[in-house]
Amino acid sequence: MLAIGGLSLGGQILLEIAATRNRIARFFIFESTLAIPMRFSAAFVSLSVSLSYPLIKHRWFSELQAETLGIPADMFEEYYASSTQISKESLSRILRENAVFVPDPDIKDINALIIAGSGERRIMLRSARKLNEMIEGSRIRILRGYRHGELSLRHPEEYAALLVNVIDGKL
């Protein structure tokens, strides 16, 4: 495989894959990937999900969530359908695991581009820098004014152009 990318939780999954199967692709792209545990937040996931889960079935609430997450309007129906299908237990577990994730310290020897938006939470910017330090030879791009996952979700042409530049060795 030439290249593989992961956004947010998908980036964490890709980090796990890259740590054990670093030859699965020639290029790895990690966008808005949390790499610093948020133990305090993880402690409140169950309570937060218990309070908000009944609202997920309401379209207006999902629209607010989608806006907060930067989901483009043309992807909303798929997002809404998926949201209404997930169980409370699964949602809780996903959010908790995401919050306590720690990248494998042995991840090395991969050609990686790490992307974060300057408009993301500070912990995401710190995570991007941490990954850049962990992965020798990786490159980092902090995109001015971009929010969480905005590059691939809202600017796919720019994402593709960035990928081409990485493959062509221009980054």
Side-chain angles (χ1 to χ4, degrees), residues 113-127:
L113 175 63
I114 298 140
I115 302 167
S118 68
E120 296 196 57
R121 294 174 51 197
R122 251 188 294 183
I123 194 163
M124 296 307 295
L125 298 171
R126 287 181 27 233
S127 290

Side-chain angles (χ1 to χ4, degrees), residues 33-99:
T33 303
L34 182 64
I36 297 171
M38 300 187 323
R39 298 196 196 296
F40 183 76
S41 295
F44 291 98
V45 164
S46 292
L47 176 62
S48 172
V49 170
S50 289
L51 294 172
S52 64
Y53 185 77
L55 298 173
I56 290 173
K57 307 286 186 202
H58 295 282
R59 192 173 184 84
W60 63 267
F61 185 76
S62 286
E63 287 172 351
L64 288 174
Q65 278 185 311
E67 178 60 33
T68 301
L69 294 170
I71 307 290
D74 64 340
M75 297 176 80
F76 175 75
E77 292 304 325
E78 184 178 349
Y79 167 78
Y80 181 60
S82 296
S83 295
T84 60
Q85 297 301 310
I86 194 165
S87 72
K88 184 164 105 173
E89 294 74 23
S90 292
L91 180 60
S92 240
R93 184 171 185 138
I94 289 166
L95 294 174
R96 189 174 24 266
E97 292 299 320
N98 173 252

